[in-house]
Amino acid sequence: MTRVLLTGFEPFGGDATNPAWEAVRAVADNPPDGVELSTACLPCVFGDAADALRAAVEQYDPELVISVGQAGGRPDITVERVAVNIDDARIPDNAGAQPVDEPIVPDGPAAYFAALPVKACVAAVRAAGLPASVSQTAGTFVCNQVFYALMHLAATERPGLRGGFVHVPFAPEQVTDKLQPSLPVSVTAEALRVITVTAATRTEDIKAVGGATH
């Protein structure tokens, strides 16, 4: 049994729900075989989210952490490749903070790669008949800060901890008044189950095209 921690976020940006947390909850209600699953809902607040992540890691002592966030406007499940050491908020967080061009960890590395088999996870989701792709950027909002904080924690304090970040689209109820792609939470949850099993059972990635021209 691999100890896995899945994290999501509370709603932000004026939305009443966050499909990342709703999908994580759905996975917890029906977890895949072979994993000991724990979950945590993180505040969408700079600093507090990273602190809550650290607390959950200390509480559950996972071997694998997959953090999940909402990426409104994306049409598919996107497995993130790299976290960057910068906060640059286009909108305020849920506490009203809006940092601009601030490092997440002063003097920390410019970036960290995910410690997930990113392309294998994407391939597995696609093989399950669900839409997925590799993402080259987790943005510069709270999601990226959590992703970077997770990888920095693994690199500096918890050797052997593997982890990464997955962005998910809006849920349908969020886009009734706007032209944006969406996926039902049940579909997003199934993709997270596939990613969880894939990441828990393999460390080596596959060699497949996953790059971008821009």
PDB file of all heavy atoms in Angstrom, residues 172-190:
ATOM      1  N   PRO A 172     -19.134  21.897 -14.938  1.00  0.00           N
ATOM      2  CA  PRO A 172     -20.171  22.485 -15.797  1.00  0.00           C
ATOM      3  C   PRO A 172     -20.984  23.588 -15.130  1.00  0.00           C
ATOM      4  O   PRO A 172     -21.342  24.575 -15.787  1.00  0.00           O
ATOM      5  CB  PRO A 172     -21.047  21.273 -16.144  1.00  0.00           C
ATOM      6  CG  PRO A 172     -20.116  20.112 -16.093  1.00  0.00           C
ATOM      7  CD  PRO A 172     -19.171  20.422 -14.965  1.00  0.00           C
ATOM      8  N   GLU A 173     -21.267  23.453 -13.838  1.00  0.00           N
ATOM      9  CA  GLU A 173     -22.097  24.468 -13.176  1.00  0.00           C
ATOM     10  C   GLU A 173     -21.394  25.816 -13.052  1.00  0.00           C
ATOM     11  O   GLU A 173     -22.046  26.838 -12.783  1.00  0.00           O
ATOM     12  CB  GLU A 173     -22.524  23.979 -11.787  1.00  0.00           C
ATOM     13  CG  GLU A 173     -21.404  23.696 -10.817  1.00  0.00           C
ATOM     14  CD  GLU A 173     -20.953  22.239 -10.836  1.00  0.00           C
ATOM     15  OE1 GLU A 173     -21.113  21.581 -11.890  1.00  0.00           O
ATOM     16  OE2 GLU A 173     -20.445  21.779  -9.807  1.00  0.00           O
ATOM     17  N   GLN A 174     -20.087  25.841 -13.280  1.00  0.00           N
ATOM     18  CA  GLN A 174     -19.350  27.097 -13.208  1.00  0.00           C
ATOM     19  C   GLN A 174     -19.399  27.888 -14.513  1.00  0.00           C
ATOM     20  O   GLN A 174     -18.998  29.060 -14.525  1.00  0.00           O
ATOM     21  CB  GLN A 174     -17.885  26.843 -12.847  1.00  0.00           C
ATOM     22  CG  GLN A 174     -17.648  26.288 -11.455  1.00  0.00           C
ATOM     23  CD  GLN A 174     -16.195  25.959 -11.223  1.00  0.00           C
ATOM     24  OE1 GLN A 174     -15.695  24.935 -11.682  1.00  0.00           O
ATOM     25  NE2 GLN A 174     -15.487  26.829 -10.537  1.00  0.00           N
ATOM     26  N   VAL A 175     -19.840  27.275 -15.585  1.00  0.00           N
ATOM     27  CA  VAL A 175     -19.732  27.920 -16.895  1.00  0.00           C
ATOM     28  C   VAL A 175     -21.087  28.102 -17.576  1.00  0.00           C
ATOM     29  O   VAL A 175     -21.151  28.256 -18.795  1.00  0.00           O
ATOM     30  CB  VAL A 175     -18.772  27.136 -17.821  1.00  0.00           C
ATOM     31  CG1 VAL A 175     -17.378  27.108 -17.236  1.00  0.00           C
ATOM     32  CG2 VAL A 175     -19.269  25.708 -18.058  1.00  0.00           C
ATOM     33  N   THR A 176     -22.146  28.097 -16.804  1.00  0.00           N
ATOM     34  CA  THR A 176     -23.470  28.246 -17.408  1.00  0.00           C
ATOM     35  C   THR A 176     -23.665  29.611 -18.048  1.00  0.00           C
ATOM     36  O   THR A 176     -24.499  29.768 -18.939  1.00  0.00           O
ATOM     37  CB  THR A 176     -24.568  28.013 -16.353  1.00  0.00           C
ATOM     38  OG1 THR A 176     -24.358  28.910 -15.256  1.00  0.00           O
ATOM     39  CG2 THR A 176     -24.557  26.583 -15.859  1.00  0.00           C
ATOM     40  N   ASP A 177     -22.887  30.613 -17.594  1.00  0.00           N
ATOM     41  CA  ASP A 177     -23.044  31.958 -18.143  1.00  0.00           C
ATOM     42  C   ASP A 177     -21.798  32.454 -18.859  1.00  0.00           C
ATOM     43  O   ASP A 177     -21.642  33.649 -19.088  1.00  0.00           O
ATOM     44  CB  ASP A 177     -23.415  32.933 -17.029  1.00  0.00           C
ATOM     45  CG  ASP A 177     -22.359  33.014 -15.937  1.00  0.00           C
ATOM     46  OD1 ASP A 177     -21.457  32.148 -15.926  1.00  0.00           O
ATOM     47  OD2 ASP A 177     -22.427  33.940 -15.102  1.00  0.00           O
ATOM     48  N   LYS A 178     -20.897  31.532 -19.225  1.00  0.00           N
ATOM     49  CA  LYS A 178     -19.692  31.946 -19.941  1.00  0.00           C
ATOM     50  C   LYS A 178     -19.241  30.831 -20.870  1.00  0.00           C
ATOM     51  O   LYS A 178     -19.472  29.652 -20.612  1.00  0.00           O
ATOM     52  CB  LYS A 178     -18.574  32.319 -18.973  1.00  0.00           C
ATOM     53  CG  LYS A 178     -18.311  31.313 -17.867  1.00  0.00           C
ATOM     54  CD  LYS A 178     -17.415  31.912 -16.790  1.00  0.00           C
ATOM     55  CE  LYS A 178     -17.320  30.996 -15.579  1.00  0.00           C
ATOM     56  NZ  LYS A 178     -16.588  31.594 -14.457  1.00  0.00           N
ATOM     57  N   LEU A 179     -18.621  31.218 -21.964  1.00  0.00           N
ATOM     58  CA  LEU A 179     -18.165  30.246 -22.954  1.00  0.00           C
ATOM     59  C   LEU A 179     -16.795  29.728 -22.550  1.00  0.00           C
ATOM     60  O   LEU A 179     -15.757  30.265 -22.946  1.00  0.00           O
ATOM     61  CB  LEU A 179     -18.117  30.899 -24.342  1.00  0.00           C
ATOM     62  CG  LEU A 179     -19.461  31.335 -24.922  1.00  0.00           C
ATOM     63  CD1 LEU A 179     -19.248  32.085 -26.233  1.00  0.00           C
ATOM     64  CD2 LEU A 179     -20.375  30.136 -25.129  1.00  0.00           C
ATOM     65  N   GLN A 180     -16.798  28.679 -21.725  1.00  0.00           N
ATOM     66  CA  GLN A 180     -15.571  28.072 -21.238  1.00  0.00           C
ATOM     67  C   GLN A 180     -15.737  26.558 -21.248  1.00  0.00           C
ATOM     68  O   GLN A 180     -16.838  26.041 -20.998  1.00  0.00           O
ATOM     69  CB  GLN A 180     -15.263  28.539 -19.813  1.00  0.00           C
ATOM     70  CG  GLN A 180     -14.932  30.008 -19.670  1.00  0.00           C
ATOM     71  CD  GLN A 180     -13.487  30.325 -20.020  1.00  0.00           C
ATOM     72  OE1 GLN A 180     -12.760  29.485 -20.540  1.00  0.00           O
ATOM     73  NE2 GLN A 180     -13.062  31.544 -19.740  1.00  0.00           N
ATOM     74  N   PRO A 181     -14.658  25.824 -21.528  1.00  0.00           N
ATOM     75  CA  PRO A 181     -14.744  24.358 -21.464  1.00  0.00           C
ATOM     76  C   PRO A 181     -14.917  23.886 -20.027  1.00  0.00           C
ATOM     77  O   PRO A 181     -14.553  24.589 -19.083  1.00  0.00           O
ATOM     78  CB  PRO A 181     -13.408  23.900 -22.056  1.00  0.00           C
ATOM     79  CG  PRO A 181     -12.484  25.049 -21.840  1.00  0.00           C
ATOM     80  CD  PRO A 181     -13.314  26.285 -21.931  1.00  0.00           C
ATOM     81  N   SER A 182     -15.461  22.687 -19.876  1.00  0.00           N
ATOM     82  CA  SER A 182     -15.664  22.131 -18.543  1.00  0.00           C
ATOM     83  C   SER A 182     -15.661  20.611 -18.612  1.00  0.00           C
ATOM     84  O   SER A 182     -15.814  20.020 -19.690  1.00  0.00           O
ATOM     85  CB  SER A 182     -16.987  22.617 -17.948  1.00  0.00           C
ATOM     86  OG  SER A 182     -18.092  22.109 -18.679  1.00  0.00           O
ATOM     87  N   LEU A 183     -15.492  19.984 -17.445  1.00  0.00           N
ATOM     88  CA  LEU A 183     -15.618  18.535 -17.301  1.00  0.00           C
ATOM     89  C   LEU A 183     -16.429  18.242 -16.047  1.00  0.00           C
ATOM     90  O   LEU A 183     -16.248  18.912 -15.022  1.00  0.00           O
ATOM     91  CB  LEU A 183     -14.245  17.861 -17.163  1.00  0.00           C
ATOM     92  CG  LEU A 183     -13.393  17.651 -18.402  1.00  0.00           C
ATOM     93  CD1 LEU A 183     -12.050  17.021 -18.010  1.00  0.00           C
ATOM     94  CD2 LEU A 183     -14.101  16.762 -19.408  1.00  0.00           C
ATOM     95  N   PRO A 184     -17.303  17.247 -16.082  1.00  0.00           N
ATOM     96  CA  PRO A 184     -17.999  16.856 -14.865  1.00  0.00           C
ATOM     97  C   PRO A 184     -17.001  16.422 -13.785  1.00  0.00           C
ATOM     98  O   PRO A 184     -15.958  15.827 -14.092  1.00  0.00           O
ATOM     99  CB  PRO A 184     -18.873  15.680 -15.310  1.00  0.00           C
ATOM    100  CG  PRO A 184     -19.040  15.864 -16.780  1.00  0.00           C
ATOM    101  CD  PRO A 184     -17.749  16.459 -17.257  1.00  0.00           C
ATOM    102  N   VAL A 185     -17.335  16.697 -12.548  1.00  0.00           N
ATOM    103  CA  VAL A 185     -16.442  16.322 -11.447  1.00  0.00           C
ATOM    104  C   VAL A 185     -16.198  14.818 -11.432  1.00  0.00           C
ATOM    105  O   VAL A 185     -15.095  14.359 -11.113  1.00  0.00           O
ATOM    106  CB  VAL A 185     -17.024  16.807 -10.102  1.00  0.00           C
ATOM    107  CG1 VAL A 185     -16.302  16.162  -8.925  1.00  0.00           C
ATOM    108  CG2 VAL A 185     -16.927  18.326 -10.006  1.00  0.00           C
ATOM    109  N   SER A 186     -17.198  14.034 -11.797  1.00  0.00           N
ATOM    110  CA  SER A 186     -17.018  12.575 -11.817  1.00  0.00           C
ATOM    111  C   SER A 186     -15.940  12.157 -12.812  1.00  0.00           C
ATOM    112  O   SER A 186     -15.167  11.218 -12.557  1.00  0.00           O
ATOM    113  CB  SER A 186     -18.340  11.882 -12.154  1.00  0.00           C
ATOM    114  OG  SER A 186     -18.824  12.298 -13.424  1.00  0.00           O
ATOM    115  N   VAL A 187     -15.863  12.844 -13.947  1.00  0.00           N
ATOM    116  CA  VAL A 187     -14.834  12.548 -14.948  1.00  0.00           C
ATOM    117  C   VAL A 187     -13.466  12.981 -14.431  1.00  0.00           C
ATOM    118  O   VAL A 187     -12.477  12.248 -14.548  1.00  0.00           O
ATOM    119  CB  VAL A 187     -15.162  13.252 -16.275  1.00  0.00           C
ATOM    120  CG1 VAL A 187     -14.018  13.095 -17.277  1.00  0.00           C
ATOM    121  CG2 VAL A 187     -16.458  12.696 -16.855  1.00  0.00           C
ATOM    122  N   THR A 188     -13.403  14.164 -13.847  1.00  0.00           N
ATOM    123  CA  THR A 188     -12.146  14.634 -13.269  1.00  0.00           C
ATOM    124  C   THR A 188     -11.668  13.686 -12.184  1.00  0.00           C
ATOM    125  O   THR A 188     -10.471  13.362 -12.108  1.00  0.00           O
ATOM    126  CB  THR A 188     -12.333  16.054 -12.700  1.00  0.00           C
ATOM    127  OG1 THR A 188     -12.689  16.938 -13.767  1.00  0.00           O
ATOM    128  CG2 THR A 188     -11.071  16.551 -12.036  1.00  0.00           C
ATOM    129  N   ALA A 189     -12.568  13.213 -11.349  1.00  0.00           N
ATOM    130  CA  ALA A 189     -12.197  12.284 -10.283  1.00  0.00           C
ATOM    131  C   ALA A 189     -11.638  10.982 -10.848  1.00  0.00           C
ATOM    132  O   ALA A 189     -10.667  10.433 -10.320  1.00  0.00           O
ATOM    133  CB  ALA A 189     -13.402  12.008  -9.389  1.00  0.00           C
ATOM    134  N   GLU A 190     -12.253  10.473 -11.906  1.00  0.00           N
ATOM    135  CA  GLU A 190     -11.744   9.240 -12.508  1.00  0.00           C
ATOM    136  C   GLU A 190     -10.335   9.454 -13.060  1.00  0.00           C
ATOM    137  O   GLU A 190      -9.469   8.587 -12.930  1.00  0.00           O
ATOM    138  CB  GLU A 190     -12.694   8.760 -13.605  1.00  0.00           C
ATOM    139  CG  GLU A 190     -12.272   7.439 -14.243  1.00  0.00           C
ATOM    140  CD  GLU A 190     -12.094   6.313 -13.224  1.00  0.00           C
ATOM    141  OE1 GLU A 190     -12.799   6.304 -12.204  1.00  0.00           O
ATOM    142  OE2 GLU A 190     -11.226   5.450 -13.465  1.00  0.00           O
TER     143      GLU A 190
END
